[in-house]
Amino acid sequence: MKKNILCSLFLLFASSHSWALSEIELTGELDATASVWNLPTGQRGNSAFAVPSLFLDLNAPLKDDNLMVLSFEGSEEKTSSAERFDVKVREAYLDVVSIFQGMYALRFGLIPQTWQEAQYETWTYRFLGQDAWAMTEKWKYQSYSDLGMSFMSELPQDMGEWAFTFSNGEGAEEKEGGPHKEAALFARLTMWSPWTVSLNYVRGNYDKYGEDVGLKERIQAMVTYEKADEWLAGLEYLAAKDPADALRDLKMAEGVDVTALSGEAVSGQAASFFTIIRTGPKAEVMLRYDYLNAVTGEDGKDLQTVIASLGYQVTEDIKAALAVDHTRYGSDFAPGARDRSKVELAAQVLF
């Protein structure tokens, strides 16, 4: 009897709020891969199955066009937990537009980095795994999200958009370690369509390493050209400055060896070029080249990655790709760093 009463109350509650629940948008993405490694070691020919990423996104419209967003990510690529597959909050923020007139928004909470969010609007091959992530994320020069607030607006005369972000600077997976914060200024210029130019400047400070060498700085630029339904090309540049000890402690730049530079500040440079060529109504070819010079002025601290992929849109919500990638390390990159390559079959499922 008690069970029936509880069920009735639940149904009454659900029906009375169905109008609100119907407004909530629930979407997600599942990435799955099967790979065969080609390494100059005894592991040559080893195969592996993986789920690089799983996303679950909830968008809840509020009154007066405000919006609440909650996003979860489960990834085998995470290294912050002993669990092989760990699910964590990726985004949790509120967009407030009702207090403004025109195209303005104030976002606060666990917010996506504006640069990363804009990149993944263009770059759709993240599902291949970490080697195919946006280069600032895959080399840990910038986490995807952080606790903070951001003010966003359109530029005048339809020139594009801009955003100013103020955040902890620790990333989503680290607790606030001190009083220093991080500021970022982003702009995306679209008035030269089909050309798009994106610029980003980030400045912060690591509390742990002292004022003299604690500066954290990012200068980022990306130019893309898209011919609708035919091809897309992009070129990205990154200049970074960090304490050498931060590169070591945070395992940035694929664990480059900076032991001899402890206590100093180091600069790094990186570039990425990619193109996606549509070869049929459902098929496309993707080529990408990444270059990282993790410590400028030091010989042998560089790496290069080349990825080639043949993608096929199986259905509107399922995409498959056969990819080959190869990474070559400089002669003095890090002890034990060896060239690697693999052949991979990947699938992306949107729901």
Side-chain angles (χ1 to χ4, degrees):
M1 182 67 177
K2 185 178 180 180
K3 182 178 179 181
N4 292 335
I5 293 174
L6 290 174
C7 289
S8 299
L9 289 173
F10 174 78
L11 290 173
L12 178 62
F13 174 83
S15 61
S16 65
H17 289 76
S18 60
W19 63 272
L21 294 175
S22 65
E23 298 294 323
I24 296 177
E25 180 183 0
L26 186 63
T27 59
E29 175 182 338
L30 171 66
D31 303 334
T33 64
S35 56
V36 177
W37 289 90
N38 182 21
L39 301 167
T41 67
Q43 298 179 27
R44 183 191 299 270
N46 280 6
S47 59
F49 298 95
V51 178
S53 295
L54 170 66
F55 302 103
L56 185 63
D57 304 318
L58 185 150
N59 296 335
L62 305 176
K63 292 182 179 180
D64 300 324
D65 295 324
N66 298 318
L67 177 69
M68 185 187 72
V69 175
L70 184 61
S71 176
F72 297 92
E73 177 186 7
S75 176
E76 289 189 309
E77 306 291 356
K78 296 288 184 182
T79 58
S80 58
S81 170
E83 299 292 334
R84 181 182 180 187
F85 198 86
D86 196 17
V87 178
K88 291 189 175 182
V89 177
R90 181 176 172 88
E91 303 171 20
Y93 62 85
L94 175 66
D95 272 350
V96 179
V97 300
S98 59
I99 61 176
F100 303 105
Q101 296 292 329
M103 298 299 294
Y104 302 94
L106 179 64
R107 174 177 292 180
F108 60 93
L110 180 59
I111 59 176
Q113 301 279 8
T114 311
W115 178 263
Q116 304 289 67
E117 185 180 33
Q119 278 185 306
Y120 287 126
E121 290 175 6
T122 303
W123 176 248
T124 59
Y125 273 84
R126 188 187 194 279
F127 70 96
L128 293 181
Q130 188 169 357
D131 284 339
W133 290 3
M135 65 178 187
T136 46
E137 185 182 14
K138 81 170 183 175
W139 290 326
K140 300 183 180 178
Y141 280 106
Q142 195 170 5
S143 61
Y144 179 81
S145 58
D146 199 358
L147 288 164
M149 61 188 302
S150 181
F151 179 77
M152 301 168 287
S153 175
E154 289 187 338
L155 291 168
Q157 300 179 352
D158 295 325
M159 294 175 61
E161 58 190 339
W162 70 277
F164 176 76
T165 302
F166 192 65
S167 62
N168 282 344
E170 308 289 346
E173 297 182 15
E174 300 291 336
K175 292 183 179 180
E176 172 64 0
H180 289 100
K181 296 295 182 283
E182 181 176 293
L185 181 61
F186 168 82
R188 178 160 54 181
L189 308 175
T190 58
M191 66 277 201
W192 302 299
S193 181
W195 292 92
T196 300
V197 178
S198 299
L199 303 168
N200 196 51
Y201 179 71
V202 180
R203 189 178 181 90
N205 199 287
Y206 294 95
D207 294 282
K208 183 178 179 180
Y209 306 107
E211 295 288 342
D212 293 339
V213 298
L215 177 65
K216 175 183 179 181
E217 189 176 49
R218 306 284 182 263
I219 300 172
Q220 297 163 278
M222 184 164 67
V223 179
T224 61
Y225 180 93
E226 182 171 12
K227 192 169 183 180
D229 301 322
E230 292 189 27
W231 61 280
L232 165 71
L235 177 63
E236 180 185 355
Y237 170 78
L238 166 70
K241 189 169 184 178
D242 302 274
D245 295 326
L247 266 67
R248 177 201 62 210
D249 296 343
L250 301 177
K251 299 180 181 179
M252 298 164 61
E254 289 204 18
V256 62
D257 183 15
V258 289
T259 305
L261 301 171
S262 180
E264 301 180 22
V266 298
S267 297
Q269 292 184 327
S272 178
F273 171 79
F274 66 88
T275 183
I276 300 173
I277 303 169
R278 296 170 181 89
T279 57
K282 293 188 176 183
E284 60 186 24
V285 173
M286 182 277 289
L287 300 173
R288 173 171 164 176
Y289 169 76
D290 293 345
Y291 172 79
L292 170 65
N293 186 357
V295 184
T296 57
E298 296 283 327
D299 293 333
K301 300 290 187 184
D302 62 313
L303 68 82
Q304 301 176 66
T305 296
V306 177
I307 306 174
S309 169
L310 175 61
Y312 187 79
Q313 198 72 44
V314 181
T315 65
E316 186 177 349
D317 51 8
I318 300 176
K319 186 174 185 176
L322 179 64
V324 178
D325 72 57
H326 175 76
T327 297
R328 185 194 68 80
Y329 293 95
S331 57
D332 195 30
F333 190 86
R338 306 187 68 175
D339 297 354
R340 66 175 190 265
S341 59
K342 65 180 177 181
V343 178
E344 184 174 62
L345 180 63
Q348 177 193 52
V349 183
L350 304 176
F351 56 92

